[in-house]
């Protein structure tokens, strides 16, 4: 029986439906991570980064180029604000010495991006922060910063955007003559959709604004068809139309909205043909499809979006095979693919992937799961979230979210201004940790990573139950629209730093099944079991890679079950590009000590918004003594302690490690300022290696510099 939330006019139903924003409350380490995000760049960009602070979206001159920055930022800050608000978090007001931006800060120097906004969404911040020149003149200022109030930021930006909708329906700066412009709006529309979910009292007004905008877009597309990135990102634009139809919010315009979906598809890039081709060439595919990493990460979900309004059954297969093709072409052990701006046919661990690609792929995989119910897409979303996402942040202190890269590499022996560099198409500072290395899109777009991941933990199932899809600590109170009254489910776990996932649930009106995802890697007897007090343990390892009914939630009384995982150590081979070490969802790597040199200061205290060049301060040329068929013969896992309140992905105090044996391999070279391809294995066959020595491999996501793909000794 489908609950009301599944009954959709005109569209194929989703297999699984995520819960509306505002129902989920993060807990445990996930809450700590979201707080670190809010107390890092996310909560402060509106105070000092011109592309948000003085954005064209609030009447200023910032983000004058593609008008993408504030949309990307809102797409993350809206869910972050409501998730933290549910957890009753009051963010720490940062009080301290606020230093002038250093002379080499682009933020301070770039006057073209700091034209005053008509509305000051920073009215809740001290005015001194608006004037970087004044800072520079006066030097250091002791200034208590007011609270970082994320909800107030959300209200100010969303309020301004809604209040300034044009009579025609357009939202934001008007690009009436630019056929490439509509894509940037897609993230504002997604933000509005989440805002409407979280604030039912505002839903009618927001839905009306979204509908009017899409009617306006429909008019414009008939006169001026999509080009360029607007073509390539058609499915992002389609998402808000689908969202309106799913809620019956298109009213008398339902047919027009369905026509708009078809128009977006026929004008947009043919990603289905592109991915089927599987060669990811640099020349354009049908209707502009090309090998840009972020556009491909977004387009992973094109078949899923298209399926909703075509019900073409072959799209489920295409949705799966594209992942296999991308993996075979250029897959990386972090779950991502090589895309140092453009996709390339290599598994080389020194080549990069862009942070925008990382967060867009995570989001695409969750949308794909919702539509087709392919459980492997949640495995993949987790693999990226627990490895690639945290790896691209670093600071001397460790574990905070003040400095990120544009490009991250699996084998990263330095992260600094590099000329020449091994990556293609990006500037020499693309691997630097900082505010906006290379280009500012990721500074805005990273914001969606953790919040959307948290929002996609729980899913409604077609048989009227609830699935714990992503394994992370959080609680949910179901909305009445799910048809289960105010039932409650809670997940308590240290996963991915612990192996037990405890689920408690209480039904409100009628019993319902509670599912849990058993990851694909949890295979082999004893690798996954469900424990319920008073019942025999149930081995579910034969059901790896599926959603399993953990129990049926009883009415009025809480039932508790634990999914006990016993992950085996795994070694994965990357064609001729070396071997990676994994256990459960985490990848383990050799941490290289990082020597940080701050080269620019942008905002806040000494340890807040800086740019850093980072050099290796410990050896990295090692071959791993291991047998890929029998990893536990030489590797051993050690569970340590995840301290409550500690940064989950810190470069010290690791909650889990893998003990390994390595041998130094002096012949491993450096090419264009990066580690050369890992030498062929067995690398020590010719006797040129050092004696075996013990090392600790640590979570990849915790490292600043590292080796993640080794040659075998
Ligand atoms: C947040 O506060 C509200 C109101 O006091 C309370 O009902 C709710 O349980 C609190 N939530 C958490 C996660 O503490
Ligand atoms: C200032 O910003 C503009 C527009 O974003 C950009 O074209 C220019 O290169 C920037 N200048 C500096 C010094 O970064
Ligand atoms: C279904 O999708 C496939 C793959 O894109 C396409 O080849 C086929 O023509 C579509 N079928 C219909 C009826 O549109
Ligand atoms: C990371 O660990 C170091 C060493 O224990 C600590 O000083 C630092 O505060 C931690 N980072 C965060 C964000 O908690
Ligand atoms: C379960 O594990 C086996 C062995 O590793 C693997 O071949 C299979 O694909 C997994 N099942 C799913 C559905 O992922
Ligand atoms: C760290 O970098 C600085 C600046 O390049 C250099 O002077 C110092 O010797 C380095 N320290 C180590 C331990 O490598």
């Amino acid at each position: 029986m489908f609950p009301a939330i599944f009954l959709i006019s005109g569209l194929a139903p989703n297999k699984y439906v995520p819960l509306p924003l505002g129902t989920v409350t993060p807990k445990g380490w996930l809450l700590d991570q979201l707080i670190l995000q809010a107390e890092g760049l996310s909560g402060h960009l509106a105070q000092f980064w011109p592309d948000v602070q003085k954005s064209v979206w609030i009447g200023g001159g910032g983000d004058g180029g593609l008008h993408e920055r504030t949309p990307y930022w809102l797409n993350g800050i809206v869910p972050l604000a409501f998730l933290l608000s549910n957890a009753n978090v009051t963010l720490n007001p940062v009080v301290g010495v606020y230093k002038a931006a250093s002379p080499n800060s682009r933020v301070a120097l770039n006057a073209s991006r700091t034209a005053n906004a008509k509305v000051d969404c920073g009215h809740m911040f001290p005015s001194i922060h608006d004037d970087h020149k004044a800072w520079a003149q006066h030097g250091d200022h002791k200034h208590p910063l007011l609270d970082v109030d994320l909800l107030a930021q959300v209200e100010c930006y969303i309020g301004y955007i809604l209040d300034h909708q044009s009579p025609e329906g357009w939202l934001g700066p008007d690009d009436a003559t630019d056929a490439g412009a509509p894509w940037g709006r897609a993230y504002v529309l997604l933000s509005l959709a989440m805002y409407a979910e979280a604030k039912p009292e505002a839903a009618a007004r927001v839905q009306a604004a979204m509908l009017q905008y899409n009617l306006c877009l429909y008019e414009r597309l008939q006169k001026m068809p999509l080009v360029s990135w607007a073509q390539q990102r058609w499915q992002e634009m389609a998402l808000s139309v689908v969202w309106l139809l799913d809620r019956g919010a298109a009213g008398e315009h339902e047919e027009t909205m369905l026509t708009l979906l078809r128009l977006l598809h026929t004008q947009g890039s043919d990603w289905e043909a592109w991915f089927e081709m599987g060669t990811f060439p640099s020349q354009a595919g049908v209707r502009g499809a090309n090998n840009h990493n972020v556009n491909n990460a977004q387009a992973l979900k094109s078949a899923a979006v298209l399926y909703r309004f075509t019900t073409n059954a072959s799209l489920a297969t295409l949705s799966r095979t594209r992942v296999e093709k991308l993996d075979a072409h250029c897959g990386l052990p972090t779950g991502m693919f090589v895309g140092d701006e453009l996709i390339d046919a290599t598994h080389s661990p020194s080549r990069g992937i862009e942070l925008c690609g990382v967060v867009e792929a995570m989001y695409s995989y969750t949308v794909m799961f919702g539509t087709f119910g392919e459980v492997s897409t949640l495995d993949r979303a987790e693999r990226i979230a627990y490895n690639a996402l945290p790896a691209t942040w670093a600071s001397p202190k460790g574990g905070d979210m003040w400095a990120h890269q544009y490009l991250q590499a699996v084998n990263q022996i330095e992260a600094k201004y590099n000329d020449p560099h091994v990556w293609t198409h990006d500037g020499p500072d693309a691997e630097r940790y900082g505010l906006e290395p290379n280009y500012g899109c990721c500074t805005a777009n990273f914001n969606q990573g953790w919040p959307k991941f948290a929002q996609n933990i729980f899913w409604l199932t077609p048989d009227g139950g609830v699935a714990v899809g992503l394994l992370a600590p959080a609680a949910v109170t179901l909305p009445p629209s799910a048809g289960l009254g105010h039932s409650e489910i809670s997940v308590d776990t240290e996963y991915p730093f612990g192996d037990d996932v405890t689920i408690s649930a209480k039904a409100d009106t009628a019993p319902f099944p509670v599912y849990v995802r058993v990851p694909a890697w949890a295979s082999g007897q004893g690798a996954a079991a469900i424990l319920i007090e008073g019942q025999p343990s149930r081995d579910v390892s034969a059901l790896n890679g599926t959603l399993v009914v953990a129990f049926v939630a009883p009415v009025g009384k809480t039932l508790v079950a634990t999914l006990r995982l016993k992950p085996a150590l795994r070694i994965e081979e990357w064609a001729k590009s070396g071997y990676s070490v994994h256990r459960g969802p985490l990848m383990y790597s050799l941490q290289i000590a990082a020597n940080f040199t701050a080269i620019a200061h942008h905002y806040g205290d000494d340890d807040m918004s800086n740019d850093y060049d980072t050099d290796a301060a410990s050896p990295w040329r090692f071959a791993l003594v291991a047998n890929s068929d029998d990893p536990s013969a030489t590797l051993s896992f050690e569970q340590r302690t995840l301290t409550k309140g500690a940064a989950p992905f810190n470069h010290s105090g690791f909650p889990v490690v893998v003990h390994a044996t390595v041998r130094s391999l002096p012949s491993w070279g450096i090419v264009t300022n990066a580690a050369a391809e890992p030498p062929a294995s067995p690398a020590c066959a010719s006797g040129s290696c050092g004696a075996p020595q013990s090392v600790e491999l640590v979570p990849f996501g915790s490292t600043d510099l590292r080796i993640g793909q080794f040659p075998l000794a």
Side-chain angles (χ1 to χ4, degrees):
M1 185 200 68
F2 281 91
I5 205 164
F6 285 86
L7 293 175
I8 299 142
S9 48
L11 296 182
N14 269 321
K15 190 86 188 280
Y16 298 96
V17 174
L19 287 155
L21 182 63
T23 55
V24 175
T25 304
K27 298 168 56 166
W29 72 260
L30 182 60
L31 178 58
D32 293 337
Q33 185 68 50
L34 292 170
I35 292 173
L36 284 169
Q37 176 173 336
E39 290 183 343
L41 282 180
S42 285
H44 293 92
L45 287 175
Q47 297 175 0
F48 77 101
W49 195 50
D51 286 343
V52 170
Q53 185 199 15
K54 312 283 189 183
S55 169
V56 284
W57 286 86
I58 51 167
D63 194 10
L66 300 173
H67 306 159
E68 63 177 345
R69 307 279 163 91
T70 289
Y72 277 147
W73 173 75
L74 280 172
N75 193 27
I77 218 78
V78 169
L80 181 63
F82 286 101
L83 285 159
L84 290 181
S85 159
N86 273 2
N88 297 334
V89 166
T90 308
L91 297 167
N92 281 324
V94 190
V95 181
V97 175
Y98 272 68
K99 292 172 60 185
S102 67
N104 45 356
S105 165
R106 277 196 271 193
V107 165
L109 287 179
N110 201 330
S112 75
R113 288 164 60 194
T114 57
N116 273 323
K118 289 198 191 90
V119 60
D120 188 2
C121 281
H123 64 266
M124 56 284 236
F125 319 128
S127 60
I128 186 87
H129 294 146
D130 290 349
D131 188 350
H132 294 276
K133 286 201 193 99
W135 287 20
Q137 278 157 17
H138 295 111
D140 291 0
H141 287 274
K142 241 186 183 34
H143 209 109
L145 193 66
L146 301 184
D147 291 358
V148 171
D149 185 340
L150 289 181
L151 280 176
Q153 295 184 20
V154 165
E155 294 297 346
C156 189
Y157 282 77
I158 297 278
Y160 185 96
I161 291 168
L162 290 174
D163 288 348
H164 291 77
Q165 185 163 31
S166 80
E168 189 197 1
W170 198 249
L171 289 165
D174 198 347
D175 314 288
T177 56
D178 182 357
W183 67 265
R185 265 118 199 110
Y187 317 102
V188 168
L189 272 285
L190 288 176
S191 309
L192 289 173
M194 290 185 282
Y195 179 81
E197 288 178 5
K199 276 190 78 170
E201 69 275 23
R205 180 188 178 202
V206 176
Q207 289 178 359
M210 291 171 66
L211 179 60
Q212 225 207 324
Y213 168 79
N214 278 312
L215 288 167
C216 176
L217 178 64
Y218 176 62
E219 291 301 318
R220 289 192 181 193
L221 290 189
Q222 293 175 72
K223 296 182 209 118
M224 196 170 55
L226 298 171
V227 296
S228 177
W229 276 33
Q231 260 185 324
Q232 290 160 27
R233 297 183 167 194
W234 74 265
Q235 73 285 331
E236 312 303 305
M237 292 182 262
L239 283 171
S240 72
V241 183
V242 166
W243 185 91
L244 286 167
L245 290 167
D246 275 352
R247 276 148 194 83
E252 55 175 334
H253 300 292
E254 198 169 299
E255 267 314 310
T256 311
M257 288 299 102
L258 286 166
T259 312
L260 171 58
L261 287 174
R262 289 189 285 267
L263 192 61
L264 285 166
H265 173 235
T266 50
Q267 290 186 2
S269 298
D270 188 349
W271 289 113
E272 280 50 67
W274 167 264
F275 283 116
E276 270 303 278
M277 202 164 45
T279 50
F280 305 93
S282 53
Q283 318 87 302
V286 182
R287 294 192 298 281
N290 74 10
N291 61 347
H292 185 265
N293 83 90
V294 186
N295 295 345
N296 276 262
Q298 294 186 334
L300 282 168
K301 64 178 155 325
S302 69
V305 177
L306 184 55
Y307 174 78
R308 296 297 311 284
F309 59 95
T310 60
T311 69
N312 181 337
S314 68
L315 291 169
T317 310
L318 294 192
S319 196
R320 185 171 53 243
T321 51
R322 70 187 48 185
V323 181
E324 293 161 5
K325 286 174 197 267
L326 196 51
D327 282 350
H329 190 76
C330 55
L332 291 172
T334 54
M336 286 303 302
F337 51 88
V338 169
D340 41 16
E341 203 64 28
L342 304 182
I343 287 176
D344 204 351
T346 174
H347 304 275
S348 171
S350 290
R351 296 284 296 273
I353 178 66
E354 182 184 336
L355 174 50
C356 285
V358 169
V359 293
E360 293 292 358
M362 282 170 58
Y363 178 56
S364 286
Y365 281 120
T366 54
V367 171
M368 289 153 79
F369 171 73
T371 302
F372 295 123
E374 183 93 42
V375 175
S376 62
T377 48
L378 290 185
D379 279 27
R380 185 59 70 97
E382 253 184 29
R383 186 166 177 153
I384 298 171
Y386 292 158
N387 297 288
L389 181 60
T392 206
W393 295 82
S395 69
K397 179 171 152 188
D400 57 23
M401 289 183 73
W402 277 105
H404 65 82
Q405 298 168 296
Y406 184 88
L407 290 179
Q408 63 172 289
V410 171
N411 285 356
Q412 196 170 276
I413 59 168
E414 55 187 35
K416 63 196 276 196
Y417 188 95
N418 261 337
D419 195 7
H421 44 77
V422 65
W423 54 89
T424 66
H425 299 87
D426 289 317
D429 65 345
E431 270 190 6
R432 186 177 256 172
Y433 288 104
L435 170 63
E436 48 179 341
N438 191 57
Y439 191 67
C441 54
C442 301
T443 311
N445 201 1
F446 86 79
N447 290 279
Q448 69 167 309
W450 286 118
K452 287 200 183 173
F453 182 80
Q455 185 55 35
N456 284 312
I457 292 171
F458 300 100
W459 298 79
L460 299 174
T461 66
D463 60 351
V466 178
V468 178
L470 297 169
L471 306 182
V476 65
T477 303
L478 297 181
S481 59
L484 296 168
H486 294 281
S487 298
E488 292 168 12
I489 302 170
S490 181
V491 179
D492 293 280
T493 183
E494 292 186 348
Y495 182 98
F497 310 107
D499 297 336
D500 280 0
V501 181
T502 297
I503 304 169
S504 22
K506 182 170 81 173
D508 184 12
T509 51
F512 64 90
V514 177
Y515 291 79
V516 64
R517 181 179 121 260
V518 178
W521 46 257
S523 67
Q525 199 172 3
I530 290 175
L531 283 66
I532 297 177
E533 203 180 279
Q535 297 182 17
S537 154
R538 179 158 56 104
D539 189 306
V540 291
S541 55
L543 301 172
N544 67 312
T546 69
L547 297 178
V548 172
V549 178
F551 58 90
V552 174
V555 178
K557 133 172 189 293
T558 302
L559 192 73
V560 183
T562 297
L563 171 67
R564 179 154 296 166
L565 297 163
K566 289 211 169 73
L569 286 158
R570 311 192 305 279
I571 294 180
E572 296 182 3
E573 182 181 354
W574 297 92
K576 293 192 170 59
S577 296
Y579 296 80
S580 56
V581 175
H582 306 258
R583 182 183 179 278
L586 290 182
M587 174 176 166
Y588 288 80
S589 60
L590 178 83
Q591 158 140 292
I592 305 171
N595 184 8
F596 284 86
T597 308
I599 47 112
H601 172 74
H602 305 291
Y603 185 72
D605 240 331
D606 281 337
D607 60 355
M608 293 169 79
S609 182
N610 297 321
D611 292 347
Y612 304 99
D613 274 346
T614 311
D615 288 288
S618 67
W620 56 268
R621 294 169 164 92
F622 293 107
L624 189 66
V625 178
N627 175 349
S628 55
D629 295 330
D630 185 13
S632 55
T634 52
L635 303 176
S636 67
F637 170 75
E638 184 192 344
Q639 178 75 57
R640 292 183 182 162
T641 318
L642 177 69
T643 311
K644 194 172 165 0
F649 294 94
N650 199 331
H651 60 198
S652 59
F654 310 106
V656 285
V657 297
V658 167
H659 296 280
T661 305
V662 295
R663 294 176 66 187
S664 70
L665 180 60
S667 62
W668 192 350
I670 294 182
V671 177
T672 51
N673 292 313
E677 280 277 289
S681 301
C684 301
S686 58
S688 58
C689 287
Q693 63 186 91
S694 299
V695 292
E696 279 176 9
L697 305 182
V698 304
F700 179 86
S702 301
T703 58
D704 310 326
L705 301 176
R706 68 242 157 195
I707 294 297
Q709 270 168 247
F710 297 86
L712 296 185

